[in-house]
Amino acid sequence: MPAKIEIAAPAKINLTLDIKGKRADGYHELETIMQQIDLLDHITIESASPGSIRVDSNSSLIPHNEGNLAYRAAALFLDKYGSGAGVKIFIEKNIPIGAGLAGGSTDAAAVLWGLNRLLDCGLAKADLLEMAAQIGSDVPFCLLGGSALARGRGELLEPLAPSVPLLLLLVKPDFQVSTAEVYQQFDLTKVEKFPDTPAFLESWQHCDIIGIAGHMENVLESVSVRKYPEIALIKEKMKKLGALNVLMSGSGPSVFGVFKEKGLAMEAMETMKTSYREVFLVSSFEERGGNNY
Ligand code: C5P
């Protein structure tokens, strides 16, 4: 049994996000294509005194208690399978917070995966996925990794075979968005454009980058872009800088542009950096079966 384990926790973006309606449990019925990207938090888990959970981070912006999804993941896991074990978790935070990039969810997924290893529990993927769904809607995808079509609250996952590698310029404006508030304010009648998910998937299967970019759509833009015009501004700027298309991820406010050429993407990055602090040139991340399943 290892005494310490280190896990890379990738961020995600939503290449499409559609809402099919509101559910009896208050959540929204989703149809979304999710993609991991190589913007990584690094999680270290070590054994600690029995029954204890301690979360530390290089970031002072994240909670170190139950408010942190990684803490909740550890509590849930240890309660069920810990046999009195205690852990110390360190989160090296690189993924922007409150950004629509599943930063908290991916840390939680990494903790579930890591504890299964560290404590040598031998739990099956299905067991971990079930716990993941109890922690948050994005956590199951973060555990599965790669690319997937998600339905339900986000927990019903169909893995997608990798398509053409995506080169993405990601910009996180200097404010955070509450996912719960965005969903609360969502009004189907205010949506101007819905994604055509089957058309997106066809482009995906044919590795057609123009089709993939052209079919990216997110209905939550109808809430977040209206509330924060800055998001529309970033989208326009990135389009002018040569992105094939630009979309908001999740409930926002992060925005990503798909680029065909690295040179153009790098020039765009330099330009965006003159106005924004958090700008990242990233790629799709397809590593399954290593840190993730
Ligand atoms: O599941 P999670 O706690 O990450 O979701 C955050 C909030 O986003 C929920 O409280 C809910 O308001 C909203 N949500 C939703 N429908 C989903 C996923 C999230 O309404 N499918």
Side-chain angles (χ1 to χ4, degrees):
M1 192 164 93
K4 182 175 169 177
I5 190 162
E6 290 178 23
I7 310 131
K12 68 88 200 168
I13 53 168
N14 301 79
L15 294 168
T16 66
L17 196 157
D18 200 3
I19 292 179
K20 299 295 189 185
K22 191 140 187 217
R23 298 154 43 125
D25 62 6
Y27 281 82
H28 291 76
E29 189 65 29
L30 297 181
E31 186 173 71
T32 175
I33 292 164
M34 301 170 97
Q35 173 67 57
Q36 278 189 321
I37 55 175
D38 60 359
L39 174 58
L40 310 171
D41 283 350
H42 293 282
I43 313 293
T44 308
I45 315 177
E46 286 175 80
S47 297
S49 50
S52 66
I53 300 175
R54 184 174 164 170
V55 174
D56 290 312
S57 175
N58 62 331
S59 165
S60 55
L61 300 174
I62 58 170
H64 292 202
N65 53 21
E66 292 83 357
N68 189 316
L69 293 185
Y71 184 104
R72 269 189 253 169
L76 183 65
F77 192 102
L78 293 179
D79 188 42
K80 279 186 144 180
Y81 306 105
S83 317
V87 289
K88 200 164 93 177
I89 298 168
F90 187 82
I91 302 173
E92 185 197 312
K93 199 85 206 136
N94 301 308
I95 304 172
I97 296 149
L101 300 171
S105 301
T106 194
D107 296 347
V111 165
L112 293 178
W113 189 90
L115 284 177
N116 192 30
R117 273 293 192 81
L118 187 77
L119 305 177
D120 214 5
C121 293
L123 295 178
K125 180 159 107 177
D127 298 320
L128 294 181
L129 284 170
E130 199 190 307
M131 270 189 282
Q134 288 178 48
I135 298 161
S137 304
D138 285 343
V139 185
F141 169 73
C142 294
L143 191 67
L144 184 78
S147 323
L149 171 62
R151 293 200 172 90
R153 273 173 57 208
E155 83 288 14
L156 305 174
L157 295 166
E158 262 177 58
L160 299 177
S163 179
V164 56
L166 298 175
L167 176 63
L168 307 159
L169 183 62
L170 185 71
V171 177
K172 153 74 173 52
D174 252 344
F175 55 90
Q176 295 185 19
V177 159
S178 152
T179 302
E181 264 176 39
V182 171
Y183 276 104
Q184 249 165 36
Q185 289 162 15
F186 178 75
D187 178 353
L188 261 179
T189 63
K190 300 257 165 68
V191 177
E192 279 164 21
K193 217 165 165 207
F194 291 89
D196 181 344
T197 308
F200 179 97
L201 287 171
E202 197 166 324
S203 302
W204 184 265
Q205 277 148 17
H206 290 105
C207 295
D208 166 14
I209 186 71
I210 306 291
I212 289 172
H215 288 111
M216 296 189 327
E217 227 38 89
N218 178 351
V219 296
L220 291 177
E221 286 190 348
S222 63
V223 182
S224 303
V225 172
R226 217 162 275 164
K227 201 164 168 193
Y228 305 101
E230 175 111 35
I231 297 174
L233 211 75
I234 301 172
K235 288 185 68 173
E236 274 319 303
K237 265 192 187 170
M238 257 206 263
K239 272 185 201 160
K240 279 196 190 128
L241 291 168
L244 294 177
N245 201 1
V246 189
L247 198 72
M248 184 183 83
S249 180
S251 50
S254 295
V255 168
F256 61 91
V258 177
F259 282 81
K260 223 172 145 185
E261 283 169 41
K262 187 138 192 196
L264 199 58
M266 286 175 80
E267 276 174 31
M269 176 168 72
E270 291 314 316
T271 307
M272 295 311 284
K273 272 186 172 170
T274 60
S275 310
Y276 297 97
R277 249 179 349 110
E278 294 181 283
V279 180
F280 308 90
L281 190 55
V282 296
S283 306
S284 42
F285 185 82
E286 294 298 345
E287 208 172 283
R288 271 205 194 104
N291 286 331
N292 295 310
Y293 280 101

